[in-house]
Amino acid sequence: MNRLFHQKAALSMTILIACLGILSQPSLAFDSPRIIDGSTVTLLYHITVPGHGGLEVKDISQFVQGQHKMLPAIERIVTGMKSGHEKRVELSPEQGFGPYDPNKKTTVPRIDLPDGTKEGDILKDRTGKQATLTQLSDSSAVMDYNHPLAGKPLSVKVKILRVDNPS
């Protein structure tokens, strides 16, 4: 079962990379530009929390290096990398999503929540800020505005899929 899952996952990733046009350029890793400020970077990232078995995030992201839309530690480690390069880095909570702040919790009336809301749901408040519903009673709910990975050390693996430098 586990082997079949990994084979399907590998096939899915191959198809995804092909869709991105990566496989249509066989010498891309050798001819690819290095990441510099202004580069548009497409990467696959895999974040795990050491010691927390099922807590992981895998996704593909695109950002412009130097615009600070990515964690600063990630921007630092990808500088100079090329398509096809991979790196793994261990981040402290401060390097990741910051320390956990217990003051970023608020209690709201349960009646203000959408029907069917349950603990663990991520909701947007009236101002558009995201919060995790951490406690729910008959009359109220506790909303936590910390990032779900705040206060946690992280293990991050990145694979550069594509680098487009500014002309």
Side-chain angles (χ1 to χ4, degrees):
M1 176 72 174
N2 196 18
R3 183 174 176 211
L4 181 60
F5 171 78
H6 289 293
Q7 289 173 339
K8 286 183 177 180
L11 178 60
S12 296
M13 185 56 66
T14 302
I15 292 168
L16 176 64
I17 291 170
C19 289
L20 290 172
I22 302 297
L23 294 180
S24 65
Q25 301 172 17
S27 64
L28 184 62
F30 299 107
D31 299 344
S32 167
R34 293 190 178 276
I35 297 172
I36 60 172
D37 277 352
S39 297
T40 299
V41 180
T42 305
L43 61 82
L44 172 67
Y45 64 87
H46 181 193
I47 300 173
T48 56
V49 178
H52 287 80
L55 191 53
E56 64 179 10
V57 178
K58 292 181 186 179
D59 206 353
I60 292 179
S61 183
Q62 188 174 67
F63 69 99
V64 177
Q65 177 78 351
Q67 288 187 350
H68 313 298
K69 303 287 184 190
M70 183 63 65
L71 290 174
I74 301 301
E75 281 200 21
R76 278 192 299 280
I77 69 162
V78 301
T79 299
M81 292 176 69
K82 293 181 171 187
S83 295
H85 287 178
E86 294 182 35
K87 276 191 186 175
R88 177 181 295 277
V89 65
E90 306 299 319
L91 302 179
S92 69
E94 292 75 19
Q95 293 170 312
F97 292 93
Y100 184 85
D101 182 354
N103 295 321
K104 288 186 174 180
K105 289 184 174 183
T106 188
T107 302
V108 298
R110 183 176 180 143
I111 198 163
D112 288 352
L113 301 177
D115 290 337
T117 301
K118 59 190 178 307
E119 286 185 15
D121 285 353
I122 298 174
L123 306 171
K124 286 189 179 181
D125 66 14
R126 293 178 183 156
T127 66
K129 292 172 87 178
Q130 285 190 337
T132 304
L133 179 62
T134 58
Q135 292 177 343
L136 192 59
S137 72
D138 290 338
S139 61
S140 64
V142 176
M143 304 297 292
D144 186 345
Y145 287 89
N146 284 286
H147 188 281
L149 296 175
K152 294 176 173 50
L154 305 174
S155 178
V156 181
K157 180 180 176 184
V158 297
K159 180 173 184 176
I160 307 303
L161 301 177
R162 185 176 179 129
V163 178
D164 295 308
N165 280 341
S167 301

